[in-house]
């Protein structure tokens, strides 16, 4: 019996979606879709922009100071869990800025929606060839470091319901896949 899996892979710099038919001895990629410039780095940038806007300071255009601030935002984003109510960003001389998670999640909605549209496009191509049974039998497997954000999980469940499975090792999904 075949099982269909749609892999939702939101990594640090890219988003990829693949729909795979899995049988006992054969795995076949049925459709792929990607967004080259959509990933956790963009989510870090959104947090930094919100903090700079709140502090009313301009962002560095490039260089080591911008890299340092983005790294601080990445660390804060990675601490973001389901019970987090606010995120803090140390902007140096401008001070430590607090951003409500609700505000951050709202700012992320367009990025998350782009990833969902790409996943839907891959699923749509498979459903077009294989019918509704394929679409109903497909589970969505959530992998990639940035997919661990609660915002992403909620959006996937809202769109695909109980069919969403989350990898217990989202940061190691590529290594595990290669090992298999």
């Amino acid at each position: 019996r075949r099982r269909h899996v749609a892999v939702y892979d939101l990594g640090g710099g890219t988003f990829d979606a693949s729909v795979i038919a899995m049988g006992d001895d054969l795995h076949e990629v049925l459709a792929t879709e990607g967004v080259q410039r959509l990933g956790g780095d963009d989510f870090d940038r959104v947090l930094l922009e919100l903090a700079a806007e709140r502090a009313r300071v301009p962002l560095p255009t490039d260089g080591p100071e911008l890299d340092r601030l983005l790294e601080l935002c990445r660390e804060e984003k990675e601490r973001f869990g389901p019970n987090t109510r606010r995120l803090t960003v140390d902007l140096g001389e401008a001070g430590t800025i607090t951003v409500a998670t609700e505000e951050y999640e709202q700012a992320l909605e367009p990025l998350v929606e782009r990833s969902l549209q790409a996943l839907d496009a891959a699923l749509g191509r498979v459903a077009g060839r294989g019918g509704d049974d394929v679409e109903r039998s497909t589970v969505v497997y959530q992998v990639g470091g940035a997919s661990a954000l609660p915002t992403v999980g909620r959006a996937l469940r809202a769109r695909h319901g109980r069919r969403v499975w989350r990898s217990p090792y989202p940061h190691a999904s590529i290594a595990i896949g290669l090992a298999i």
Side-chain angles (χ1 to χ4, degrees):
R1 195 179 96 179
R2 293 187 140 206
R3 173 185 287 162
H4 295 85
V5 176
V7 179
Y8 175 99
D9 182 359
L10 183 61
T14 62
F15 171 77
D16 298 290
S18 299
V19 181
I20 303 162
M22 298 176 65
D24 291 335
D25 297 328
L26 177 67
H27 301 335
E28 179 184 0
V29 177
L30 302 175
T32 63
E33 189 72 34
V35 181
Q36 281 187 336
R37 298 195 47 86
L38 174 64
D41 296 344
D42 299 298
F43 290 40
D44 304 341
R45 181 73 184 212
V46 167
L47 179 56
L48 180 56
E49 288 171 356
L50 288 170
E53 181 181 308
R54 179 158 290 191
R56 294 189 173 97
V57 296
L59 288 177
T61 55
D62 205 4
E65 181 59 15
L66 178 61
D67 293 343
R68 183 188 75 78
L69 292 171
L70 287 169
E71 178 64 19
L72 290 173
C73 289
R74 182 192 60 78
E75 291 170 1
E76 187 66 13
K77 175 196 71 184
E78 288 180 357
R79 284 192 286 272
F80 179 18
N83 296 321
T84 304
R85 297 292 168 241
R86 61 183 159 257
L87 303 158
T88 57
V89 180
D90 181 0
L91 292 178
E93 291 180 19
T96 300
I97 305 302
T98 301
V99 176
T101 56
E102 184 176 286
E103 180 183 0
Y104 180 51
E105 288 181 312
Q106 188 174 22
L108 292 179
E109 283 178 9
L111 299 177
V112 174
E113 182 58 30
R114 283 179 54 205
S115 71
L116 293 174
Q117 288 171 354
L119 175 63
D120 290 345
L123 287 167
R125 282 198 305 279
V126 171
R129 290 190 310 255
D132 290 337
D133 290 340
V134 171
E135 190 171 356
R136 279 195 300 272
S137 71
T138 301
V139 296
V140 177
Y141 198 67
Q142 180 182 345
V143 300
S147 76
L149 282 170
T151 309
V152 172
R154 281 194 297 274
L156 277 168
R157 282 188 303 281
R159 180 96 36 116
H160 296 284
R162 290 188 194 178
R163 297 182 307 151
V164 177
W165 298 353
R166 184 165 178 255
S167 170
Y169 309 104
H171 289 86
S173 59
I174 297 212
I176 292 168
L178 287 172
I180 292 171

